[in-house]
């Protein structure tokens, strides 16, 4: 599986699909599309829409 | 224990902050008894005190309802006069924030580490000449470090940098008669703003003739909605960087050192293992965040935690209270430099999360790292001088004796 990284535009936190965000209930391996829309950046509270795909 | 009037009044009592520090007991009581608590002040103002972590994060992530305008903080006489990020709301807030956000990412600020290290060591070299004397950690070591960083970002002279320190002291010390010289605080801040505006205009004009690789030059050519920034909008960035961008770092570093000195077991743990500095800095910021509160104003009637909040009423988000919320942090009054996770709210949350968070963390880390590396022991002398401002807190002046190597 391709491991994509999504960057928070507010604080630069990196969401790695491989790692997920277990502390927020997002299991490792969760693709970005499957992260709930109400999930927020664990470091700053930015919304999912504030993240961009790292090229 | 029931909330009493003194618990309510102390939260905005600058004299209390100056004398005793943060009113954690009052916040604990309010959070426990009535976490969304309406307080009527004797001067006729009123607000809802928000003390729970989850309530503050919820409010911060709904900027379309809970606005920063018109009241940014109690004791703030600047954001109503100058358009600044802290007083803006979506969609304008993001348009303006995006103009400079790229300069504050972790990658973009990598230059700050060696720069701050050089500056703090320069200050420590001077203190070394006074080994055994009583020094003030703020003026003799800490303050010049973020000042130099702001100076570099703006591309200004040493003389201008001295004015920056003076303006910052004026804005955040405006309630202190020793600072305002007896002038009415609001009038005093107005006078300072006028001076800053004139200096900022002159700087922009000079930079238009001789552009450089600095923020002032960048603001000179920046556009929002297809138009150049107005002079006041440029001043807004200038003001925010010069004041909030460095007073908070000063407080973080000085308060941080004091907190470590008050917890010698944690200090020794950090001395023995400097790799703990990142978690130590976050714990310092959780324990005594430099920013005490920001306000929000709902633009409609809302229900919050069972309370009916009317459109236009003021909510005061008390970050230190949230940082000691037992629902979020185990043993919240314990200072533990290895605390993990540590998702404190010292930098705020959501739309208005601090743009300078990475820079702030980095500078505080570097300052404390070098102080601990170059001293074997530090002895506090007398009582520290604390801030006396309702929105910015912590230790201002910390008098110590140290032997610098």
């Amino acid at each position: 599986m391709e491991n994509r990284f999504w960057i928070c535009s507010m604080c630069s936190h990196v969401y790695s699909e491989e790692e997920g965000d277990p502390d927020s209930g997002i299991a490792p391996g969760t693709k970005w599309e499957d992260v709930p829309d109400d999930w927020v950046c664990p470091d700053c509270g930015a919304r999912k829409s504030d993240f961009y795909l790292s090229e | 224990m029931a909330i009493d009037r003194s618990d309510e009044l102390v939260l905005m009592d600058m004299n209390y902050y100056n004398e005793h520090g943060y009113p954690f007991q009052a916040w604990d009581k309010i959070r426990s008894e009535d976490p969304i608590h309406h307080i009527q002040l004797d001067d006729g103002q009123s607000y809802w005190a928000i003390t729970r972590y989850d309530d503050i994060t919820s409010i911060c992530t709904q900027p379309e309802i809970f606005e920063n305008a018109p009241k940014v903080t109690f004791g703030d006489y600047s954001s109503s006069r100058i358009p600044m990020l802290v007083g803006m709301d979506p969609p304008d807030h993001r348009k303006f924030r995006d103009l400079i956000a790229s300069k504050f990412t972790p990658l973009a600020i990598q230059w700050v580490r060696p720069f701050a290290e050089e500056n703090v060591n320069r200050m420590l070299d001077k203190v070394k000449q006074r080994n055994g004397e009583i020094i003030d950690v703020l003026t003799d070591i800490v303050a010049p470090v973020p000042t130099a960083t702001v100076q570099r970002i703006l591309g200004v002279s040493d003389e201008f940098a001295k004015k920056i320190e003076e303006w910052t002291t004026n804005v955040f010390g405006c309630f202190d008669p020793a600072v305002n010289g007896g002038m009415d605080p609001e009038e005093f801040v107005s006078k300072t703003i006028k001076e800053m505006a004139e200096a900022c205009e002159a700087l922009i004009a000079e930079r238009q003739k001789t552009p450089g690789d600095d923020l002032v030059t960048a603001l000179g050519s920046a556009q929002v909605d297809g138009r150049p920034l107005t002079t006041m909008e440029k001043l807004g960035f200038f003001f925010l960087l010069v004041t909030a961008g460095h007073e908070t770092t000063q407080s973080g570093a000085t308060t941080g050192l004091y907190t470590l000195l008050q917890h010698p077991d944690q200090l020794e743990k950090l001395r023995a293992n400097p790799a703990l500095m990142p978690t130590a800095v976050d714990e310092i910021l959780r324990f005594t965040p430099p920013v005490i509160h920001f306000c929000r104003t709902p633009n409609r009637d809302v229900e919050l935690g069972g309370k009916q909040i009317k459109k236009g009423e003021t909510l005061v988000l008390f970050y230190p209270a949230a940082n000691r919320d037992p629902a979020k942090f185990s043993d919240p009054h314990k200072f533990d430099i290895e605390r993990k996770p540590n998702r404190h709210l010292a930098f705020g949350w959501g739309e208005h999360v601090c743009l300078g968070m990475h820079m702030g963390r980095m500078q505080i880390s570097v300052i404390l790292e070098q102080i601990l590396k170059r001293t074997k022991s530090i002895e506090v002398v007398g009582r520290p001088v604390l801030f006396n401002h309702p929105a910015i807190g912590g230790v201002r002046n910390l008098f110590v004796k140290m032997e610098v190597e």
Side-chain angles (χ1 to χ4, degrees), chain A residues 6-48:
Chain A
W6 293 78
I7 318 279
C8 176
S9 64
M10 299 297 274
C11 78
S12 302
H13 173 81
V14 178
Y15 175 84
S16 152
E17 289 181 330
E18 198 170 275
E19 293 174 15
D21 180 18
D23 287 343
S24 304
I26 311 296
T30 302
K31 293 176 91 60
W32 183 248
E33 294 75 24
D34 297 326
V35 173
D37 288 340
D38 63 354
W39 174 85
V40 297
C41 174
D43 279 351
C44 77
R47 293 168 176 170
K48 203 181 159 191

Side-chain angles (χ1 to χ4, degrees), chain B residues 120-398:
Chain B
V120 70
N121 276 304
R122 185 166 48 82
M123 300 316 297
L124 286 169
D125 288 342
K126 287 186 185 174
V127 169
K128 187 176 174 180
Q129 304 306 312
R130 298 167 56 197
N131 270 350
E133 290 178 26
I134 299 172
I135 61 131
D136 173 14
V137 171
L138 176 77
T139 50
D140 295 323
I141 303 175
V142 171
V145 180
T147 301
T149 302
V150 168
Q151 182 182 355
R152 169 69 69 92
I153 291 171
L154 293 174
V156 298
S157 65
D158 289 350
E159 196 187 323
F160 200 101
K162 281 197 174 24
K163 291 300 293 181
I164 288 175
E165 285 202 39
E166 187 188 310
W167 291 327
T168 307
T169 300
N170 288 356
V171 169
F172 291 107
C174 65
F175 297 102
D176 184 350
V179 173
N180 64 36
M183 195 184 277
D184 170 73
E186 192 170 353
E187 215 179 298
F188 185 68
V189 170
S190 290
K191 178 170 163 294
T192 302
I193 288 172
K194 186 168 175 293
E195 219 180 278
M196 290 177 78
E198 285 164 8
C200 180
E201 275 196 70
L203 190 59
I204 291 168
E206 175 209 309
R207 223 39 73 74
Q208 275 171 345
K209 290 183 202 151
T210 50
D213 180 25
D214 56 79
L215 192 66
V216 176
T217 301
L219 289 177
S221 58
Q223 299 214 333
V224 164
D225 292 334
R227 59 153 180 92
L229 298 187
T230 64
T231 301
M232 289 306 281
E233 286 167 345
K234 289 174 198 168
L235 176 62
F237 282 110
F238 180 82
F239 187 91
L240 204 56
L241 187 64
V242 157
T243 55
H246 102 283
E247 191 80 1
T248 45
T249 301
Q250 290 180 14
S251 167
T254 311
T255 304
L257 182 63
Y258 184 60
T259 307
L260 286 165
L261 291 167
Q262 287 191 302
H263 296 84
D265 61 320
Q266 298 298 301
L267 174 59
E268 286 322 303
K269 195 188 280 192
L270 186 56
R271 279 192 186 281
N273 186 1
L276 290 174
M277 187 59 79
T279 48
V281 167
D282 271 314
E283 180 65 344
I284 284 165
L285 291 169
R286 180 194 73 86
F287 205 68
T288 316
V291 176
I292 300 170
H293 81 262
F294 269 108
C295 297
R296 293 290 190 273
T297 305
N299 56 25
R300 66 199 77 168
D301 292 353
V302 291
E303 186 265 326
L304 200 63
K307 297 292 175 81
Q308 300 303 320
I309 316 284
K310 288 192 174 43
K311 173 185 172 180
E313 290 190 311
T314 300
L315 308 181
V316 174
L317 314 184
F318 285 109
Y319 303 113
N323 283 356
R324 305 264 184 131
D325 185 343
K328 185 70 182 176
F329 301 97
S330 64
D331 211 351
H333 294 299
K334 181 181 175 191
F335 179 67
D336 175 8
I337 64 167
E338 293 186 272
R339 185 181 289 271
K340 258 186 182 176
N342 194 350
R343 291 189 170 149
H344 59 78
L345 301 184
F347 293 115
W349 195 253
E351 176 76 13
H352 286 273
V353 73
C354 179
L355 199 51
M357 63 196 298
H358 302 296
M359 191 176 285
R361 278 191 174 105
M362 183 182 278
Q363 293 194 101
I364 293 169
S365 293
V366 166
I367 290 168
L368 293 177
E369 190 179 276
Q370 295 304 310
I371 289 175
L372 296 188
K373 188 174 164 186
R374 293 187 61 178
T375 60
K376 281 209 166 47
S377 68
I378 304 170
E379 177 198 338
V380 176
V381 178
R383 288 184 62 199
V385 175
L386 307 178
F387 276 84
N388 64 338
H389 193 282
I392 298 286
V395 175
R396 275 190 61 83
N397 307 94
L398 175 63

Side-chain angles (χ1 to χ4, degrees), chain B residues 91-112:
Chain B
D92 282 349
H93 172 256
R94 199 61 76 88
K95 290 180 197 172
F96 281 87
R97 185 181 170 115
D98 285 349
L99 292 177
I100 62 168
S102 63
K103 298 207 179 300
F104 294 90
T105 63
L107 195 61
I109 62 153
Q110 283 187 352
W111 65 270
V112 174

